[in-house]
Amino acid sequence: MSMGVTISSISDYAILGCGSVGYAVAEELVEQGKDVLIIDRDESRVESLRDQDLDARTADIREPEAAELVAERDVVLILASNVEANKRAVEHIRNSNSTQFVVARASDPVSGDELSELGADIVINPSAVIADSALRALESGELEYNAGKLAQLLEETTERLAIVTQESPDPDSIASAAALQAIASHLGVESDIVYLGDMGHQENRAFVNLLGIDLVQWDELEDLSGHDTIALVDHSTSTEIDLDVDIVIDHHEPEAEYEPEFVDIRPNMSSTSTIMTKYIQEFDVNVSEEVATALLYGIRAETLDFKRDTTPADLTAAAYLYPFADHDTLEQVESPSMSPETLDVLAEAIANRDVQGSHLVSNAGIVRDREALTQAASHLLNLEGVTTTAVFGIAEETIFLSARSKDIRINIGKILDDAYGEIGETAGHSTQASAEIPLGIFTGIEISAETRDTFLELTEEAVKRTLFDAMGVEGGEGSNGN
């Protein structure tokens, strides 16, 4: 028998109470070449253990005699099912020898605390261990089952698979799409990655170009009639598309209503890249350097380099990908050059920032590159004391707003929807969101050098007041964050 556990160089062990748990531990230790002494009060059990060439002796672990028998052992494991007996054993061992390392079995959190107070170095609860093991087995089984369903659906594709990302896709969406494309290729299915909106963010453009990921802009396609399977990956914050969707994989619940044959939505994971890494492992795909790099960056981007909403699944996925990734390329992606337009927008946003408490709202004026608003919102989030940012600008008779938040107490997507949902379009989730608001009463006013400042001032006041109200920030003079 092997539990896949490697014991340290310690060689002398004692087990007090050798029921099913104690016997399993003893068997594993002996298999690893350890010297194990077993103490149990049941004479017939001790005799049976001796028949198996195990060193076993009869004694009641509740009595001081048992502690004396194991006094020379480095590690003592007290594993009887009787918790009261385990307590007495811990007491006697600590009274006779305070240097031994003691592991004790509890039955619930209360008895666990009591054993710790009596001096046990480690307390284990078999029920909790079994539950944890059962959950891991369930997760593994569900992944295997889902992978089988996904493979069957992909292999039924007779023409091509269309993998649709979110609008203006971010690294998590792009990486997830690239991973699904790799899985499809592994199964002999040809596919295209299709994106909506624009690829405006310099970091995202660098990400795609450096890794050689081929994406097709939605508007460049006449239709998707040549694609008989449609998959949405990390698409939940995008507007609904008029397609029969077959596959949805995401770490957010979708806002649109689809009826796909395959759904894997896991809000307990911080990125869709984490989910797709699990599938890469389950399908045993020989992951390429490009896909591994993309997935690792997707996880890092969604978790702010593991500083936000990071789960154990994200960390294990990143650890798996790390040896396969190109870290020089990652460094290049993370430090892209900034365009003059983005620099201008950032400078304008810094100059016009209004800080109320930990919330910052800024007007970047009239912009040509709407994606620059997103970068400005991300940069301003690094200001000391600021946990939420919103940067807006005007283009094409529309107010475009981008928001970011690292405040776990608020959902910035809901805030924007409360503020502008009835007058414009909003999208997003707890940490990032966007809004598009028609100029409304301002539409039709010709902007000139003479009217520009007044125009921007009126727009700024209306947008900021509405947003601060939705954030629950009381009116009053704000500051520029100095």
Side-chain angles (χ1 to χ4, degrees):
M1 183 192 81
S2 178
M3 300 177 184
V5 177
T6 302
I7 308 300
S8 72
S9 58
I10 295 173
S11 59
D12 295 327
Y13 293 81
I15 295 175
L16 274 61
C18 195
S20 58
V21 174
Y23 181 76
V25 174
E27 191 178 27
E28 178 68 25
L29 289 172
V30 170
E31 188 173 311
Q32 295 192 25
K34 307 302 181 182
D35 182 6
V36 181
L37 170 62
I38 301 170
I39 306 296
D40 197 278
R41 68 174 182 172
D42 188 325
E43 292 185 5
S44 61
R45 183 180 299 162
V46 169
E47 192 65 32
S48 175
L49 292 169
R50 287 175 177 171
D51 290 342
Q52 298 176 59
D53 294 328
L54 295 172
D55 185 2
R57 304 179 195 179
T58 304
D60 190 336
I61 69 172
R62 295 172 294 187
E63 302 298 329
E65 177 194 357
E68 294 171 5
L69 288 172
V70 300
E72 301 301 320
R73 300 283 160 162
D74 295 316
V75 178
V76 180
L77 299 102
I78 305 171
L79 303 176
S81 58
N82 186 326
V83 176
E84 292 303 318
N86 292 347
K87 292 179 187 177
R88 300 291 77 77
V90 172
E91 283 184 310
H92 294 314
I93 287 171
R94 284 297 175 233
N95 288 336
S96 63
N97 185 345
S98 61
T99 63
Q100 288 175 294
F101 191 80
V102 176
V103 178
R105 173 180 173 177
S107 59
D108 51 51
V110 174
S111 61
D113 291 340
E114 291 172 345
L115 286 163
S116 294
E117 291 172 3
L118 289 169
D121 295 292
I122 292 179
V123 175
I124 59 172
N125 185 342
S127 298
V129 172
I130 292 170
D132 184 57
S133 177
L135 288 172
R136 287 199 303 270
L138 176 62
E139 181 181 350
S140 176
E142 285 182 335
L143 180 61
E144 182 179 357
Y145 174 74
N146 284 342
K149 285 181 61 179
L150 179 60
Q152 181 180 357
L153 189 57
L154 291 174
E155 288 171 340
E156 289 174 355
T157 303
T158 57
E159 296 184 50
R160 296 182 72 84
L161 163 71
I163 306 169
V164 184
T165 70
Q166 64 180 234
E167 293 179 26
S168 303
D170 63 8
D172 186 29
S173 189
I174 297 167
S176 301
L180 184 56
Q181 187 174 55
I183 290 170
S185 178
H186 177 72
L187 297 173
V189 178
E190 296 184 345
S191 62
D192 297 298
I193 301 175
V194 183
Y195 71 98
L196 299 87
D198 302 311
M199 187 73 68
H201 200 304
Q202 284 100 320
E203 192 171 292
N204 295 344
R205 289 199 298 267
F207 178 67
V208 169
N209 293 335
L210 287 169
L211 294 175
I213 301 173
D214 292 325
L215 284 82
V216 181
Q217 217 280 339
W218 181 276
D219 294 338
E220 294 177 6
L221 294 174
E222 294 184 6
D223 56 51
L224 286 176
S225 59
H227 300 77
D228 54 336
T229 304
I230 308 295
L232 305 184
V233 289
D234 198 46
H235 184 86
S236 62
T237 59
S238 303
T239 55
E240 187 170 0
I241 55 177
D242 186 20
L243 291 173
D244 291 329
V245 175
D246 303 291
I247 298 167
V248 173
I249 303 175
D250 213 311
H251 70 117
H252 289 296
E253 293 287 348
E255 297 177 359
E257 293 186 5
Y258 299 104
E259 295 182 357
E261 291 186 48
F262 179 87
V263 180
D264 191 351
I265 298 172
R266 306 194 207 181
N268 62 322
M269 294 189 181
S270 298
S271 71
T272 308
S273 292
T274 299
I275 301 171
M276 294 311 303
T277 300
K278 301 296 182 184
Y279 279 111
I280 287 284
Q281 293 175 280
E282 184 63 30
F283 279 103
D284 197 23
V285 174
N286 186 17
V287 62
S288 68
E289 186 177 74
E290 293 76 18
V291 171
T293 305
L295 287 169
L296 180 57
Y297 185 60
I299 296 170
R300 289 173 55 173
E302 284 296 290
T303 61
L304 292 180
D305 258 341
F306 310 109
K307 295 191 288 286
R308 177 186 70 191
D309 300 334
T310 307
T311 69
D314 302 316
L315 295 173
T316 56
Y320 169 76
L321 295 165
Y322 190 88
F324 305 109
D326 184 336
H327 297 279
D328 290 336
T329 299
L330 273 178
E331 187 174 347
Q332 288 180 273
V333 170
E334 291 171 337
S335 305
S337 58
M338 183 177 289
S339 70
E341 166 68 7
T342 300
L343 188 60
D344 290 342
V345 169
L346 180 58
E348 193 81 7
I350 292 172
N352 295 334
R353 68 192 186 277
D354 184 353
V355 181
Q356 302 271 359
S358 62
H359 307 305
L360 180 152
V361 179
S362 186
N363 181 7
I366 298 172
V367 299
R368 294 187 301 276
D369 181 3
R370 297 176 308 189
E371 192 62 35
L373 298 171
T374 301
Q375 293 173 265
S378 296
H379 279 289
L380 290 174
L381 198 60
N382 294 320
L383 283 176
E384 184 178 356
V386 172
T387 61
T388 304
T389 62
V391 180
F392 63 93
I394 301 168
E396 302 169 3
E397 296 191 346
T398 302
I399 301 167
F400 293 94
L401 184 147
S402 180
R404 294 289 184 272
S405 180
K406 56 185 178 183
D407 188 340
I408 61 174
R409 299 168 299 176
I410 70 171
N411 183 318
I412 192 61
K414 185 178 185 304
I415 285 175
L416 291 198
D417 190 57
D418 290 342
Y420 311 115
E422 294 184 0
I423 60 174
E425 295 182 5
T426 64
H429 47 79
S430 61
T431 59
Q432 59 187 54
S434 62
E436 297 182 15
I437 311 153
L439 279 175
I441 61 171
F442 303 115
T443 301
I445 297 179
E446 184 177 347
I447 302 175
S448 63
E450 292 76 20
T451 63
R452 182 182 186 277
D453 290 343
T454 301
F455 181 85
L456 294 178
E457 184 178 339
L458 291 171
T459 305
E460 179 178 30
E461 182 61 27
V463 173
K464 284 169 54 179
R465 184 175 63 250
T466 303
L467 185 53
F468 277 132
D469 285 346
M471 289 178 174
V473 177
E474 296 183 2
E477 291 297 320
S479 73
N480 66 359
N482 288 335

